[in-house]
Amino acid sequence: AEAETAQCQLFPNNLTEQQRRVLQFQYHRKLSKMMAMLVGSHIGFISADKEIVKNQGGTKHQILSSYLSLLSNILSHPSGRICHEQINTWIALLRDPTMSKLLSPYLQTLLNAYMSHLVRLPWNDVEDGTHELTSLIQTSWEEKEEYDSWLMDLRSKCSQLFKYIAQINPKLAAATLHTKLEYLLTHHGNGQPRNLTNGEQLQQWSFACVQFEGFHQPLDNLLQGMPSWSLAEKEDCANSDPGRLEIRASVRSSLNQVANMIISWNPTDVWLKFRRTTLVNALKYYWQYDPTTLLTGVDAMLTYLATSDDHMATRPHSNGKKHSDEIVSLRKRTGACLVSISKKVPHHLVPWLAQLSERVKNLLSSNDLLPMNEMHLYEFLSCVATAVEDPLARSNFVSDVLSNAINVLDSIEVKNAVNSVEGLMATLGISAATNDPSSVTNPLVVKQTTELYVKMFSAFNQLLSVGKRCHEAAKKRPGGGLPPTTATPPTLSTQSNFPDEGPISLSDLAINDPFVPLWPRILPTLLCALDAVLQLWHPNYQAVLLRHNIQRYALAISDEEAYLATKQDSTAGGVYGEGGTAGSIVSGWDRRDVNLAPKWSGWLNELRHTCFQLLGLAAGQRVLFAPELAGIFPRFVSVIVDERHLKSMENRHLTQYLKQFLEILLLSCPATLYQSHLSPILGPLFEHLQYRLQCNWAPIIEPNTLRSSSETTKALTTPACENAAALASNTGEEWFLTYYARCGLFVGDLDAVTGEEVVEKARVELSRALSDCLQAALALKGEWGLVLANQAKEEQAVKKNDPSKLKSGPRTRFNDQEGRRVNADGTPRSENDIAIEARKTLRINSMCRFLLLENEKIAGFLVLTVIQCLGYPDVYTCRRCARICHRILETVSWNEQYTDLLGNKMFSIVVKAIVTEPKWMVGLEWDMINVLRDVYCRLVLGQTLLPGGQGPGLQQPRDPTNPALFEQSKSVDKPLQGGGVLCRSSDMPRVILSRLPSISVENIQTLDKGLTEKRAAKDQKDLLRELLLAAAEALKETEGGFSGNDSTFGSLFERAGTAESLLNQKAQRSAIVPDIPEKLVTYSMMQKHKEQENTDEQAAALGDIFKLS
């Protein structure tokens, strides 16, 4: 930087302004970063100094103001890189409520600078050298990909920055939005300067389109961040101070003009219409308080749904498409905008519900809408209908909106399609290919088959979309989704019995959720459809389909699934772009072509996923537990846990089953119905999962066994279909062993490398989905985990006598609740949250007991599966299963029936993982040692721990009547408070340790003594690590001194090298780090000393700001 500055000084007259900036770029960038870091690292000192934060005009305040002024002036640099170096510091300053007055003079500069850099640079002009800042931009970013990545990061951070600015100074934010929009409409509202046109239309990256694209985020974020008092009606602010009333008037005036300018803007270019749609969508935050222009905006969006391209037929490369890609994009964005607005402000649209309904019917009757737009319109009307006050009127309206979809499901065509697997195959054109292979490419057959499938799938999808919107709205009602007749008042919310924790009739559920009454008509057809789809993968059908050179592709993965496994960059165009996988499953064909074969896999995926999600919706709405549907529940169970279905599903199917259905079922089932409604499902499911995961990972863990080889883990491809079909026809155990080894995948004509990636992804995703599902059910994550976090937060607030903690969320989350209570994650709390959390707490405690103590089959396979997952080489799964192990120990360690599972199987697999030090477990060692400590303390030493294996060991005294026993902990029935211990100490963990090389009885006695005397968590884990280090070193010697550092070929199970090993950390530190000299002088210290000699006065001035005294 000094050399660059010196060069500028040597040739002052020969350099242009841009050349100076290029030469000094690195200096300016480092200066901006250094100055920002200096302030950021002393925010605590600044906020604690009253002279500074109270703006009293003292010396410190003046110095800091000058410093911040210089920092903000640097933001005027034309390179966004310079601004980006400061954004974290500004966010940290704005987050601190004591800084608002101090930062007020710089907010305008911040807004202008970061809003300008959100506008995408025209990279084509940079590459052509025609951009006025070409040299500076090329110095800032080497290539377009680097710039795109940087811009994405900047936009992500600016989101929080803009919200804080709007919260601190809403008047400034509103005025800036008005000024900026007025400028844009004046200079670019008609597409000026109309560059990069395609005939008469602007392109996506035309200058005007890019300018409006860059304005959308500031508009959206600033409107979100504005406090409610600055936008509320005048009567809502009657008790406000005069200053707030003046600000409110200014804000509402500015935003009213902004809304009117956007609504009255009527561009003719398709891409400008697209940008207008995004701006209209952002206005929903303003319309929440002032709906004056709402109906006009909605009307404009409904008009855009019918936008057509009059020149489509004459445009090149139209390929007979009905609409251009630009029109399709506009229509999709418009539909999503309508749904988003209706979810935010449905109560303001209710007065016009009849007119909106009539307008939607006219659009639907035009037969020109995209299938996705039809779904958007149904969702739009349903969201508005949820704001209707009368429950009966709500239900009737939703029923009327969905009458077409219900009628489609009741039609003969759909009934024939879903009542049997043969009917489904005939509907999708699979059966016809048996005798007439050419039918799959016959344009007429393809068109008819596609239309029939779209008709059937759209009906299911519309029901799912509307059902989700109704369910979301139901949870936002005053009762929080609880039936009004059973909602418990907050004063009674701590009781353990609730009248609604059991079966509730559909009529009661419909009071909050208008979708509920439709389920008796939907569920039978839904179960038939799912049953037919899952039967297609039974071995007897696979044996037939795999032999046919076309029909086999119905069982294949889709091009999209292959693409997701390759971790490609989406900027290259996705699955159909350069480097995409379109046409790789059915060689040379993809689902956009006139060929049914590549469409089948995508269709079946869509149908299966929609069925799973609808079942999850039924569980979430508690319909499955209603007395009216008790008669169909046995049929429901017979479909979802049919042994043939479970055994025949691929890993990818089962993963979605867990995510989209099972997790929701576990969280939604009332505690009193666990035995009757969960036992029939979880018993067979956990038994199968234990077996499947064992077969999935066996070829990886034991690759040298007779049944395991590199070939068994390869995905099935087209050339191997004949052999696979012969094996499937036997339907024996050998078929399922090979089927699970490859995760059930058939990848068609996909290349071997990508096929291997697909199999690996399917293998790890199933174990990860299971661990996530169990974590949610055991309150280790998700909404139940949030309940426990809220309770801990309340306890902390009471303990510290600080009620403000209940009104603040995480520092990383923007909080606009203005002093109202928030959840531990920063989300707002509703009035009835106390009653809802009381029920969730009851379910949390009941679920732990049910899963681990009340059903031997469920508990046995569940615990065994979790223990086995600790040995599967996947860090994600292993870390989460370690957390689940702690919850298991807290719940059942006192039960002697679990002693063998916990003290033998769990303990031995954890010890093996630590002592053998496989490379895949690097970074997990402390988690595993903590599990080891938890087992040993509870089963051997009689010590309880805090939840999650945290905190010191709490020693239980010996039973005075029987010294051989420990007294049981008082929290034995409360796993969420630490659980209990095994009263009769087990020697199993001691025996396992004694079998390790170089570990003697004396070593174990020393360990017991140390763990008893030193009960701090760190001390106990260090003692265990030292013992296992000795065993690991001895084991290395028996292996011939093998170390990962000496291996030529990397391996998953290769022993971690000395530099990676946690067990050797202390040895490394003592060997590598020399003794510290009496006076340590580092290179950075010498540089600072050298700089200080030249800048004594400036350094002294800056140093005064942050003095502790």
Side-chain angles (χ1 to χ4, degrees), residues 345-356 383-389:
V345 289
H347 51 291
H348 289 316
L349 292 171
V350 168
W352 297 288
L353 183 56
Q355 296 91 321
L356 291 172
C383 289
V384 177
T386 58
V388 175
E389 293 296 331

Side-chain angles (χ1 to χ4, degrees), residues 686-698:
F686 286 159
E687 181 180 6
H688 172 72
L689 284 170
Q690 187 272 327
Y691 177 71
R692 177 185 286 257
L693 287 173
Q694 192 173 13
C695 296
N696 277 168
W697 289 100

Side-chain angles (χ1 to χ4, degrees), residues 906-981:
M906 182 186 289
F907 195 81
S908 60
I909 199 168
V910 174
V911 168
K912 178 184 176 183
I914 297 173
V915 172
T916 55
E917 301 179 284
K919 272 185 176 292
W920 69 267
M921 194 171 279
V922 171
L924 273 178
E925 296 94 337
W926 280 124
D927 299 78
M928 302 300 279
I929 289 177
N930 204 29
V931 174
L932 203 70
R933 173 191 177 229
D934 205 349
V935 175
Y936 203 86
C937 286
R938 293 181 188 273
L939 269 62
V940 178
L941 303 177
Q943 295 179 6
T944 62
L945 307 177
L946 295 177
Q950 303 300 311
L954 305 176
Q955 184 67 56
Q956 292 301 113
R958 293 285 182 177
D959 189 338
T961 61
N962 187 352
L965 303 179
F966 290 105
E967 286 187 1
Q968 187 53 266
S969 167
K970 294 180 181 179
S971 60
V972 62
D973 293 328
K974 300 175 181 177
L976 303 181
Q977 297 181 17
V981 299

Side-chain angles (χ1 to χ4, degrees), residues 553-607:
Y553 291 109
L555 301 173
I557 65 172
S558 64
D559 289 330
E560 289 80 6
E561 288 172 306
Y563 178 78
L564 291 174
T566 60
K567 300 178 182 177
Q568 293 284 345
D569 184 5
S570 59
T571 58
V575 63
Y576 298 105
E578 184 180 354
T581 54
S584 59
I585 305 299
V586 183
S587 184
W589 298 88
D590 62 63
R591 64 184 301 177
R592 298 179 301 179
D593 297 324
V594 184
N595 189 336
L596 290 177
K599 298 179 187 292
W600 289 331
S601 57
W603 286 353
L604 290 168
N605 280 345
E606 290 172 345
L607 198 56

Side-chain angles (χ1 to χ4, degrees), residues 233 286-296 345 348 352:
E233 292 287 348
Y286 169 68
W287 284 332
Q288 189 176 1
Y289 301 95
D290 182 5
T292 307
T293 54
L294 170 59
L295 192 61
T296 309
V345 289
H348 289 316
W352 297 288

Side-chain angles (χ1 to χ4, degrees), residues 91-151:
I91 291 174
L93 289 168
L94 292 166
R95 185 187 295 134
D96 194 324
T98 63
M99 299 282 190
S100 56
K101 290 185 178 179
L102 179 67
L103 299 176
S104 294
Y106 317 108
L107 297 183
Q108 185 69 69
T109 303
L110 286 175
L111 264 180
N112 293 338
Y114 286 104
M115 285 177 67
S116 66
H117 290 298
L118 289 185
V119 179
R120 188 180 296 272
L121 292 173
W123 202 261
N124 289 334
D125 292 351
V126 175
E127 291 178 339
D128 296 340
T130 57
H131 195 281
E132 59 181 355
L133 298 175
T134 295
S135 300
L136 181 61
I137 294 172
Q138 290 177 336
T139 304
S140 303
W141 302 278
E142 293 184 359
E143 55 187 2
K144 184 178 183 297
E145 288 72 19
E146 183 184 359
Y147 171 73
D148 289 339
S149 176
W150 171 86
L151 183 62

Side-chain angles (χ1 to χ4, degrees), residues 239-304:
N239 297 324
S240 299
D241 61 80
R244 279 196 170 192
L245 290 175
E246 187 273 329
I247 292 173
R248 186 199 71 86
S250 176
V251 169
R252 286 177 63 89
S253 174
S254 297
L255 293 184
N256 181 55
Q257 295 178 59
V258 167
N260 278 295
M261 283 190 286
I262 294 174
I263 296 303
S264 60
W265 179 37
N266 189 23
T268 57
D269 295 278
V270 174
W271 276 111
L272 285 182
K273 290 180 178 179
F274 185 93
R275 297 304 169 200
R276 183 194 180 205
T277 300
T278 62
L279 301 185
V280 169
N281 185 43
L283 289 178
K284 64 183 180 233
Y285 302 107
Y286 169 68
W287 284 332
Q288 189 176 1
Y289 301 95
D290 182 5
T292 307
T293 54
L294 170 59
L295 192 61
T296 309
V298 170
D299 182 71
M301 296 299 97
L302 290 172
T303 302
Y304 278 2

